[in-house]
Amino acid sequence: MAEAPEKNLALDIVRITEAAALASARWLGRGDKEAGDGAAVDAMRISFATLHIDGMVVIGEGEKDHAPMLYNGEKVGMGDGPSLDVAVDPVEGTNLLAYGRPNAISVVGVAPKGNMFNPGPSFYMQKLVVSREARDVIDLDAPVKDNLVNVAKAMGKSVQDLVVFVLDKPRHQRLIEEIRTAGARIQLQTDGDVAGSLMAVDPRSEVDLMMGTGGTPEGVLAACAIKGMGGQILARLDPQSYVEKEAINEAGIDLREVLTVNDLVRSDDCFFAATGISGGDFLRGVRYSARHAVTHSLVLRGKTGTLRYVESYHNMDRLSKISAVRY
């Protein structure tokens, strides 16, 4: 049955990621990741307070006692709108921002209350992310070469044409060797778990898939975008310490279960926005001119699959006079 157009919350939450990007971009390359992250958190919290939503942060930065941060369980919004699960990463890639490296972004995802996977005590998960073309041909337990061959075939490429995003971490040494042996190309990044997932499903990106172990909260956050773009993420909790493993077992979570995009975000009625902070091929960073600051964002609505790239020109003189956010 045909439906009338509904409010697109993605066009509201992009204002939040823009504000966080503008506030934190002043700290680009200054070596102080706490200050950059704190500026983004403050900007997000102030901006959320203007939205007619009844939101609760389920994917945040930690516990309240470790403020400043948007902590798990924090209420956001004016409380008079739809009840939502909220996932945030005010600065995804705090080290990237602090040291002036590419692809630091500000990210927000929302979904109806009770529809986001709760990572509990899990910090890390194994991930395999692909675009729509390859979403039905991957297997988290298959050899790396088999997945690369199947993805390449689904995309109409050779394995040698593929670009695989991998975090440059010691835990990925064997994975990197297997990808190289298979003949695929690799884009290594020191940080940027969400950005890597987005690149794998963004039709403009040169990255074809993402492989490796990264953050569990980041996996849930990225799933909002992966769902909207019609891609797939296969994931399994992958504790990196005995303490983390024991905590997951005590919580009754199955470490063997393979999670899909529909497990991480169960509703199609999800929304996602990301704004670039530091420059990169994926999203350009905040750029300043004599009168304006320019931001570049990706905006998604899961239900329709509509993807927007938004370039915004912010008049900094006017903003600084009326906004509570410190730009």
Side-chain angles (χ1 to χ4, degrees):
M1 182 179 295
E3 299 179 12
E6 299 174 344
K7 182 177 179 62
N8 187 347
L9 286 173
L11 299 176
D12 288 325
I13 63 175
V14 73
R15 292 174 51 233
I16 296 173
T17 58
E18 286 176 345
L22 288 169
S24 60
R26 297 293 190 185
W27 294 94
L28 177 69
R30 294 173 63 183
D32 191 340
K33 67 178 185 179
E34 286 79 13
D37 194 38
V41 169
D42 291 343
M44 270 199 175
R45 184 173 280 119
I46 291 169
S47 300
F48 264 120
T50 67
L51 294 190
H52 291 278
I53 63 170
D54 179 16
M56 178 177 287
V57 176
V58 297
I59 302 294
E61 292 198 299
E63 300 303 324
K64 184 176 182 178
D65 291 344
H66 299 158
M69 55 182 56
L70 283 155
Y71 58 89
N72 295 343
E74 181 172 350
K75 299 286 287 185
V76 294
M78 299 178 71
D80 59 350
S83 296
L84 301 173
D85 287 344
V86 177
V88 301
D89 201 340
V91 178
E92 203 255 339
T94 53
N95 283 320
L96 300 179
L97 172 63
Y99 298 109
R101 296 169 182 156
N103 297 323
I105 59 177
S106 180
V107 193
V108 171
V110 300
K113 184 178 180 180
N115 279 276
M116 281 189 186
F117 176 77
N118 184 349
S122 172
F123 299 116
Y124 291 94
M125 61 166 40
Q126 180 188 3
K127 306 172 192 176
L128 174 54
V129 182
V130 295
S131 62
R132 175 187 298 271
E133 293 83 359
R135 64 185 178 185
D136 297 322
V137 302
I138 54 173
D139 181 347
L140 197 62
D141 293 317
V144 169
K145 182 178 180 180
D146 289 358
N147 275 316
L148 294 176
V149 168
N150 291 335
V151 169
K153 183 177 179 180
M155 300 185 75
K157 297 182 175 186
S158 69
V159 172
Q160 289 74 23
D161 294 332
L162 295 178
V163 175
V164 186
F165 181 101
V166 182
L167 289 175
D168 191 6
K169 306 291 184 182
R171 62 178 177 266
H172 290 149
Q173 182 177 351
R174 181 178 175 183
L175 171 63
I176 292 168
E177 291 173 356
E178 290 179 346
I179 295 170
R180 288 172 173 166
T181 299
R185 299 178 292 161
I186 302 175
Q187 185 176 122
L188 287 172
Q189 298 283 350
T190 58
D191 300 277
D193 203 349
V194 176
S197 294
L198 296 179
M199 291 182 206
V201 294
D202 188 336
R204 304 178 310 168
S205 172
E206 66 181 19
V207 171
D208 298 295
L209 66 160
M210 173 187 172
M211 303 179 100
T213 292
T216 304
E218 288 83 354
V220 179
L221 182 48
C224 292
I226 296 167
K227 196 175 187 77
M229 292 194 197
Q232 181 60 280
I233 174 173
L234 299 182
R236 179 190 288 117
L237 302 187
D238 188 16
Q240 298 297 295
S241 70
Y242 175 80
V243 172
E244 183 184 358
K245 184 176 181 179
E246 286 299 296
I248 293 170
N249 286 329
E250 289 176 7
I253 301 173
D254 187 357
L255 284 167
R256 299 167 299 177
E257 183 181 5
V258 175
L259 303 165
T260 71
V261 68
N262 292 326
D263 296 313
L264 298 177
V265 180
R266 289 184 288 275
S267 173
D268 289 333
D269 199 20
C270 57
F271 303 89
F272 179 88
T275 300
I277 303 173
S278 60
D281 295 332
F282 165 57
L283 284 173
R284 282 177 282 175
V286 177
R287 177 169 55 87
Y288 296 97
S289 67
R291 293 181 54 192
H292 296 94
V294 185
T295 57
H296 296 88
S297 305
L298 180 152
V299 181
L300 275 161
R301 183 184 181 195
K303 193 171 184 179
T304 62
T306 301
L307 168 64
R308 291 179 171 91
Y309 301 104
V310 179
E311 182 178 75
S312 301
Y313 287 74
H314 309 269
N315 188 309
M316 300 307 289
D317 288 337
R318 294 186 182 182
L319 273 177
S320 62
K321 291 177 181 177
I322 65 173
S323 178
V325 177
R326 296 181 62 185
Y327 295 118

